[in-house]
Amino acid sequence: MQSNPSRRAFTAALLAASVLAPMATSSTAAAHGKSRTPHDEDDCPPGGLGPELTARLDAAIEGVRQQAAIPGVIAGVWLPGRGSYARATGVSDTATGRPMTTDLFMRIGSETKTFTVTALLELVDERGIRLDDPISTYIDGVPCGDQITLRQLAEMRSGLFPYTSDPDFQHALLSDPSRSFTPQELLAYGFKHQNTFGPGETFQYSNTNLILLGLVVEKVSGLDLADFIHQRVLRPARLHHTLFPQGAQIPEPHAHGYTNQTLSGDIADTTDWNSSWAWAAGAMISDFQDLRRWAEIVATGALLSPQTQAERLKVLPTGFPGASYGLGIFEANGWIGHNGSTPGYESVTVYLPSHKATLVLLINTDISSKGQAPSTLLARAITEIVTPGNIYDVPVPPS
């Protein structure tokens, strides 16, 4: 999903690496007997798709890349029993022409929501909190906070105004992309507006919801959100190249990102933009192989109890054809996961339970092509070939 501060608050219809103290001895995964996570053994050997299908995917990806003017693409599909496809094409840096490779760190935007909500659901499993608790139980000053539940925040059905749609926020960010925002500052941009509807009435993608859930995780756990996610989500999932950055840094090696979300409309290099403006809603960084692993973990609930995962997957209509939304997760024509868009980068990480298939896309631009997100164009082209009965096609709604 897209976190877009200037033109659109929600894309695709839904869309540090510091050493911490040792993880608590009893993780949620251990508590529920989850001794392993997906891909302990690789059942999708490379090259198994055959030369004809591989050539079709190569041509489709390169065609979309050229058509949508995407500098660089990392794309992967894993189909158990059939094989896998992993490719990088284009450039990671337009200034030097350095080629895109599959080992680069990238900003993943709203895919961060899957990590934040997983953290929240782990606390639900520990019985410290309940999904139907009002947000006012944990955070003061939320408009209608005694009526809005944690569930409604995670479902994008709170009615809270999206702070990314506030003109003052947009100007503050684009005037100084290196600026650091606190969660409280972000919420203030949203809370100065009236709620857009009553709690639970309809769907509206709003990063305000996730900022609040991040604060709940901090209050209940007693840890900074970044520390909790590192210790309780990333470590048990064995995601060694995924992080919640402190400041604007992105590890090496990484791809440069490019956006036209600027005050002038000119294209800018966003590599060193400070992602604190998205915090629990969209600040995280990852890489190709970690996202391949995460796609199955988040869709199958490997870190959660079966009961809590079932709550997560109770998807509701979004108003956009083919797309439903659960607790920090969407379902699009059978594919379960999330997409991400932040200035300069887009991503898709989804899992298809009916085929046990995984799709991961990482690109280094968020500039739309004929009103469509470039990551959606790529995902559609790939799934038309490999899973024609389940084509990923998430529309981009108006701002």
Side-chain angles (χ1 to χ4, degrees):
M1 256 169 252
Q2 188 165 5
S3 305
N4 184 327
S6 66
R7 296 191 311 273
R8 54 203 186 276
F10 163 23
T11 269
L14 299 179
L15 271 181
S18 53
V19 177
L20 302 175
M23 183 177 61
T25 56
S26 129
S27 71
T28 304
H32 296 290
K34 309 290 186 180
S35 60
R36 68 187 293 274
T37 47
H39 304 305
D40 288 336
E41 296 179 2
D42 196 341
D43 55 358
C44 303
L49 297 182
E52 182 179 350
L53 191 58
T54 298
R56 288 178 63 196
L57 286 168
D58 285 344
I61 291 169
E62 188 60 16
V64 172
R65 192 182 75 81
Q66 296 288 344
Q67 167 201 333
I70 303 168
V73 174
I74 304 171
V77 179
W78 294 268
L79 301 165
R82 294 176 61 188
S84 64
Y85 173 95
R87 288 285 193 278
T89 182
V91 298
S92 64
D93 184 340
T94 59
T96 65
R98 182 164 59 96
M100 187 69 90
T101 55
T102 59
D103 61 342
L104 302 179
F105 287 95
M106 305 275 271
R107 300 190 187 276
I108 60 172
S110 283
E111 290 194 34
T112 302
K113 293 175 173 66
T114 60
F115 294 93
T116 299
V117 173
T118 296
L120 179 81
L121 295 178
E122 287 189 343
L123 294 174
V124 169
D125 272 335
E126 294 170 4
R127 302 183 186 279
I129 62 176
R130 298 179 303 169
L131 286 170
D132 294 318
D133 287 342
I135 185 62
S136 60
T137 302
Y138 306 96
I139 309 295
D140 294 329
V142 180
C144 297
D146 60 340
Q147 302 172 48
I148 297 170
T149 67
L150 303 184
R151 183 189 300 274
Q152 289 165 340
L153 292 167
E155 290 173 337
M156 301 294 179
R157 291 176 175 266
S158 70
L160 292 170
F161 185 86
Y163 70 86
T164 52
S165 295
D166 177 74
D168 292 334
F169 165 76
Q170 295 170 8
H171 189 269
L173 173 62
L174 298 181
S175 296
D176 181 12
S178 66
R179 171 179 171 174
S180 181
F181 292 88
T182 68
Q184 291 73 21
E185 288 172 333
L186 299 175
L187 291 175
Y189 286 111
F191 289 174
K192 69 182 182 180
H193 298 270
Q194 289 187 342
N195 291 5
T196 55
F197 52 83
E201 288 182 3
T202 189
F203 173 91
Q204 181 188 35
Y205 195 79
S206 174
N207 285 334
T208 304
N209 298 325
L210 269 291
I211 302 302
L212 286 167
L213 293 181
L215 291 174
V216 171
V217 172
E218 291 194 330
K219 184 165 187 177
V220 173
S221 71
L223 296 172
D224 288 342
L225 179 62
D227 289 354
F228 187 89
I229 287 177
H230 183 93
Q231 295 182 36
R232 296 298 305 279
V233 181
L234 303 181
R235 280 185 175 178
R238 303 210 306 275
L239 304 182
H240 305 304
H241 296 92
T242 303
L243 64 144
F244 204 118
Q246 305 297 320
Q249 76 273 19
I250 181 170
E252 294 282 359
H254 59 253
H256 286 244
Y258 303 94
T259 192
N260 60 359
Q261 291 190 69
T262 58
L263 291 177
S264 66
D266 294 335
I267 294 175
D269 185 326
T270 67
T271 309
D272 296 321
W273 282 23
N274 191 320
S275 59
S276 63
W277 69 268
W279 195 54
M284 289 181 69
I285 293 167
S286 189
D287 77 352
F288 183 57
Q289 288 297 337
D290 268 15
L291 292 178
R292 181 241 173 135
R293 186 175 189 82
W294 182 240
E296 186 173 350
I297 291 172
V298 72
T300 61
L303 300 182
L304 303 173
S305 70
Q307 295 81 7
T308 299
Q309 179 68 3
E311 293 296 314
R312 174 179 223 161
L313 296 181
K314 288 181 179 177
V315 296
L316 296 170
T318 62
F320 303 100
S324 302
Y325 205 82
L327 303 181
I329 199 167
F330 74 78
E331 187 275 331
N333 295 328
W335 291 95
I336 296 173
H338 220 289
N339 55 358
S341 184
T342 191
Y345 301 88
E346 284 195 349
S347 57
V348 175
T349 299
V350 288
Y351 181 77
L352 184 62
S354 61
H355 292 64
K356 297 184 178 180
T358 299
L359 169 66
V360 174
L361 288 171
L362 291 163
I363 64 174
N364 56 345
T365 186
D366 67 315
I367 300 173
S368 62
S369 176
K370 298 180 180 178
Q372 297 189 74
S375 58
T376 299
L377 293 173
L378 282 165
R380 182 192 305 140
I382 290 169
T383 54
E384 284 175 343
I385 294 170
V386 297
T387 56
N390 300 91
I391 297 174
Y392 178 104
D393 189 8
V394 185
V396 180
S399 298

PDB file of all heavy atoms in Angstrom, residues 80 102 113 128 145 167 193 200 210 233 306 391:
ATOM      1  N   PRO A  80       5.821 -23.789  -5.208  1.00  0.00           N
ATOM      2  CA  PRO A  80       6.229 -25.124  -4.746  1.00  0.00           C
ATOM      3  C   PRO A  80       5.835 -26.211  -5.739  1.00  0.00           C
ATOM      4  O   PRO A  80       4.722 -26.229  -6.271  1.00  0.00           O
ATOM      5  CB  PRO A  80       5.468 -25.272  -3.426  1.00  0.00           C
ATOM      6  CG  PRO A  80       5.305 -23.874  -2.937  1.00  0.00           C
ATOM      7  CD  PRO A  80       5.065 -23.054  -4.179  1.00  0.00           C
ATOM      8  N   THR A 102      19.843  -8.433  -6.667  1.00  0.00           N
ATOM      9  CA  THR A 102      18.829  -8.962  -5.752  1.00  0.00           C
ATOM     10  C   THR A 102      19.226  -8.865  -4.283  1.00  0.00           C
ATOM     11  O   THR A 102      18.438  -9.245  -3.414  1.00  0.00           O
ATOM     12  CB  THR A 102      18.519 -10.436  -6.073  1.00  0.00           C
ATOM     13  OG1 THR A 102      19.717 -11.200  -5.956  1.00  0.00           O
ATOM     14  CG2 THR A 102      17.933 -10.580  -7.468  1.00  0.00           C
ATOM     15  N   LYS A 113       3.236  -1.988   7.987  1.00  0.00           N
ATOM     16  CA  LYS A 113       2.002  -2.248   8.736  1.00  0.00           C
ATOM     17  C   LYS A 113       1.870  -3.712   9.132  1.00  0.00           C
ATOM     18  O   LYS A 113       1.333  -4.024  10.195  1.00  0.00           O
ATOM     19  CB  LYS A 113       0.796  -1.792   7.913  1.00  0.00           C
ATOM     20  CG  LYS A 113       0.723  -0.289   7.703  1.00  0.00           C
ATOM     21  CD  LYS A 113      -0.409   0.105   6.774  1.00  0.00           C
ATOM     22  CE  LYS A 113      -0.571   1.621   6.708  1.00  0.00           C
ATOM     23  NZ  LYS A 113       0.571   2.299   6.089  1.00  0.00           N
ATOM     24  N   GLY A 128      -2.516  -9.439  27.181  1.00  0.00           N
ATOM     25  CA  GLY A 128      -2.356  -8.117  27.784  1.00  0.00           C
ATOM     26  C   GLY A 128      -3.377  -7.123  27.254  1.00  0.00           C
ATOM     27  O   GLY A 128      -3.731  -6.166  27.938  1.00  0.00           O
ATOM     28  N   GLY A 145     -12.105   8.611  20.979  1.00  0.00           N
ATOM     29  CA  GLY A 145     -11.248   7.493  21.359  1.00  0.00           C
ATOM     30  C   GLY A 145     -11.924   6.463  22.225  1.00  0.00           C
ATOM     31  O   GLY A 145     -11.480   5.302  22.264  1.00  0.00           O
ATOM     32  N   PRO A 167      -2.586  19.466   4.499  1.00  0.00           N
ATOM     33  CA  PRO A 167      -1.675  20.296   3.698  1.00  0.00           C
ATOM     34  C   PRO A 167      -0.462  20.782   4.477  1.00  0.00           C
ATOM     35  O   PRO A 167       0.634  20.899   3.908  1.00  0.00           O
ATOM     36  CB  PRO A 167      -2.562  21.464   3.245  1.00  0.00           C
ATOM     37  CG  PRO A 167      -3.960  20.934   3.306  1.00  0.00           C
ATOM     38  CD  PRO A 167      -3.974  19.995   4.467  1.00  0.00           C
ATOM     39  N   HIS A 193      -8.346  17.820  12.458  1.00  0.00           N
ATOM     40  CA  HIS A 193      -9.486  17.668  11.558  1.00  0.00           C
ATOM     41  C   HIS A 193     -10.578  16.844  12.243  1.00  0.00           C
ATOM     42  O   HIS A 193     -10.295  15.989  13.079  1.00  0.00           O
ATOM     43  CB  HIS A 193      -9.071  16.957  10.269  1.00  0.00           C
ATOM     44  CG  HIS A 193      -8.045  17.689   9.480  1.00  0.00           C
ATOM     45  ND1 HIS A 193      -8.356  18.609   8.505  1.00  0.00           N
ATOM     46  CD2 HIS A 193      -6.674  17.640   9.521  1.00  0.00           C
ATOM     47  CE1 HIS A 193      -7.246  19.087   7.971  1.00  0.00           C
ATOM     48  NE2 HIS A 193      -6.207  18.517   8.574  1.00  0.00           N
ATOM     49  N   GLY A 200     -16.181   2.308  12.549  1.00  0.00           N
ATOM     50  CA  GLY A 200     -16.671   1.067  11.977  1.00  0.00           C
ATOM     51  C   GLY A 200     -17.597   1.216  10.794  1.00  0.00           C
ATOM     52  O   GLY A 200     -18.026   0.211  10.213  1.00  0.00           O
ATOM     53  N   LEU A 210      -2.196   3.497  12.273  1.00  0.00           N
ATOM     54  CA  LEU A 210      -1.006   2.707  12.605  1.00  0.00           C
ATOM     55  C   LEU A 210      -0.077   3.431  13.560  1.00  0.00           C
ATOM     56  O   LEU A 210       0.620   2.789  14.363  1.00  0.00           O
ATOM     57  CB  LEU A 210      -0.274   2.303  11.330  1.00  0.00           C
ATOM     58  CG  LEU A 210      -0.696   0.947  10.741  1.00  0.00           C
ATOM     59  CD1 LEU A 210      -0.241  -0.206  11.638  1.00  0.00           C
ATOM     60  CD2 LEU A 210      -2.189   0.862  10.511  1.00  0.00           C
ATOM     61  N   VAL A 233       9.556  -9.940  16.654  1.00  0.00           N
ATOM     62  CA  VAL A 233       9.073 -10.271  15.312  1.00  0.00           C
ATOM     63  C   VAL A 233      10.237 -10.683  14.405  1.00  0.00           C
ATOM     64  O   VAL A 233      10.252 -11.782  13.858  1.00  0.00           O
ATOM     65  CB  VAL A 233       8.282  -9.104  14.681  1.00  0.00           C
ATOM     66  CG1 VAL A 233       7.777  -9.486  13.291  1.00  0.00           C
ATOM     67  CG2 VAL A 233       7.108  -8.686  15.582  1.00  0.00           C
ATOM     68  N   PRO A 306      -3.438 -19.753  16.270  1.00  0.00           N
ATOM     69  CA  PRO A 306      -4.425 -19.897  15.187  1.00  0.00           C
ATOM     70  C   PRO A 306      -5.647 -19.002  15.378  1.00  0.00           C
ATOM     71  O   PRO A 306      -6.181 -18.453  14.408  1.00  0.00           O
ATOM     72  CB  PRO A 306      -4.806 -21.377  15.249  1.00  0.00           C
ATOM     73  CG  PRO A 306      -3.632 -22.052  15.867  1.00  0.00           C
ATOM     74  CD  PRO A 306      -3.085 -21.068  16.863  1.00  0.00           C
ATOM     75  N   ILE A 391      -5.155 -13.232 -10.541  1.00  0.00           N
ATOM     76  CA  ILE A 391      -4.367 -12.097 -11.029  1.00  0.00           C
ATOM     77  C   ILE A 391      -4.398 -10.982 -10.002  1.00  0.00           C
ATOM     78  O   ILE A 391      -5.455 -10.522  -9.578  1.00  0.00           O
ATOM     79  CB  ILE A 391      -4.918 -11.594 -12.384  1.00  0.00           C
ATOM     80  CG1 ILE A 391      -4.794 -12.692 -13.441  1.00  0.00           C
ATOM     81  CG2 ILE A 391      -4.184 -10.337 -12.830  1.00  0.00           C
ATOM     82  CD1 ILE A 391      -5.438 -12.356 -14.761  1.00  0.00           C
TER      83      ILE A 391
END
